[in-house]
């Protein structure tokens, strides 16, 4: 059985009439959210966390339904995200961190392993894991994306996580028991 979406996708995507659509929205009512956040580059990751918490509040997630797990750095984000997801307490998990190319000769390893590990955490558990990890060439680029002129990637990750949680719950609700 296929559920019909209330509204079609926004933005550039056009979906022709007549098909079933599973389209979630960043609705936080009755959802619990886990956040794993790196302490490395903490002046940037604190701003990502502020952005994520603000977006969750706007989406209706009460503060008491949000848990935050700080970890040393981006490399530890996947393990933290996987552990949060495996508790089955959270509708979604948000991973926040910041890797700056100039700061480390092993940028590619830290950023690459964090990205693939976070993807794995979502795929293995079925719990949406949003990628709120900045991978930047410079501190200035990071600042622009942590509440500066390019927005706040923590807030974007929060909305994405909630949207995916809603999309998957619509799909589950459409499956006859
Ligand atoms: N961790 C980050 O989150 N950002 C960085 O830019 C960074 N640099 O530059 O090295 C970084 N390194 C630490 C890494 O994530 C691990 O915590 C560490 O290697 C221990 O496992």
């Amino acid at each position: 059985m296929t559920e019909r979406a209330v509204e079609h996708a926004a933005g550039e995507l056009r979906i022709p009439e007549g098909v079933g659509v599973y389209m979630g929205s960043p609705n936080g009512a009755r959802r619990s959210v886990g956040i794993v956040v790196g302490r490395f580059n903490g002046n940037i990751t604190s701003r990502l966390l502020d952005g994520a918490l603000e977006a969750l509040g706007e989406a209706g997630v009460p503060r008491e339904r949000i848990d935050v797990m700080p970890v040393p750095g981006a490399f530890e984000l996947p393990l933290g995200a996987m552990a949060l997801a495996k508790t089955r307490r959270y509708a979604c998990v948000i991973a926040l961190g910041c890797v700056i190319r100039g700061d480390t000769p092993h940028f590619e390893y830290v950023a690459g392993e964090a990205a693939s590990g976070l993807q794995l955490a979502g795929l293995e558990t079925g719990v949406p894991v949003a990628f709120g990890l900045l991978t930047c060439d410079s501190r200035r680029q990071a600042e622009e994306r942590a509440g500066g002129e390019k927005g706040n990637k923590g807030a974007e990750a929060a909305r994405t996580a909630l949207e995916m949680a809603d999309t998957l719950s619509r799909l589950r609700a459409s499956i006859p028991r």
Side-chain angles (χ1 to χ4, degrees):
M1 194 168 100
T2 306
E3 189 181 77
R4 304 278 151 171
V6 182
E7 57 184 33
H8 274 182
E12 297 299 311
L13 179 66
R14 287 178 295 99
I15 301 177
E17 291 299 322
V19 299
V21 178
Y22 299 105
M23 169 86 189
S25 65
N27 174 4
R30 294 181 311 281
R31 298 211 196 283
S32 295
V33 177
I35 302 178
V36 57
V37 53
R39 294 198 306 271
F40 206 103
N41 291 320
N43 56 335
I44 300 286
T45 60
S46 299
R47 291 186 231 169
L48 296 176
L49 181 58
D50 289 343
L53 292 174
E54 193 179 329
L56 292 175
E58 283 167 9
V61 183
R63 277 280 160 111
E64 61 271 18
R65 297 194 77 161
I66 303 171
D67 292 328
V68 176
M69 176 192 279
V71 295
F75 196 76
E76 286 71 37
L77 291 175
L79 185 58
M82 180 83 93
L84 287 169
K86 279 185 173 171
T87 64
R88 316 308 302 182
R89 278 189 215 143
Y90 306 105
C92 55
V93 172
I94 302 161
L96 305 173
C98 174
V99 192
I100 298 174
R101 189 181 293 275
D103 287 355
T104 172
H106 54 274
F107 173 92
E108 313 291 346
Y109 295 108
V110 174
E113 293 304 320
S116 51
L118 289 171
Q119 185 68 283
L120 187 69
L123 294 176
E124 280 227 335
T125 61
V127 176
V129 174
F131 186 72
L133 173 64
L134 296 179
T135 57
C136 299
D137 287 331
S138 66
R139 193 158 296 274
R140 179 160 170 220
Q141 276 186 357
E143 279 163 4
E144 285 171 355
R145 290 161 177 77
E149 63 192 53
K150 298 244 161 77
N152 189 310
K153 296 293 167 189
E156 279 180 30
R159 287 189 284 269
T160 298
L162 289 176
E163 179 185 326
M164 286 305 294
D166 193 43
T167 299
L168 296 187
S169 74
R170 282 169 193 253
L171 177 61
R172 280 187 216 109
S174 74
I175 298 169
R177 286 168 190 262

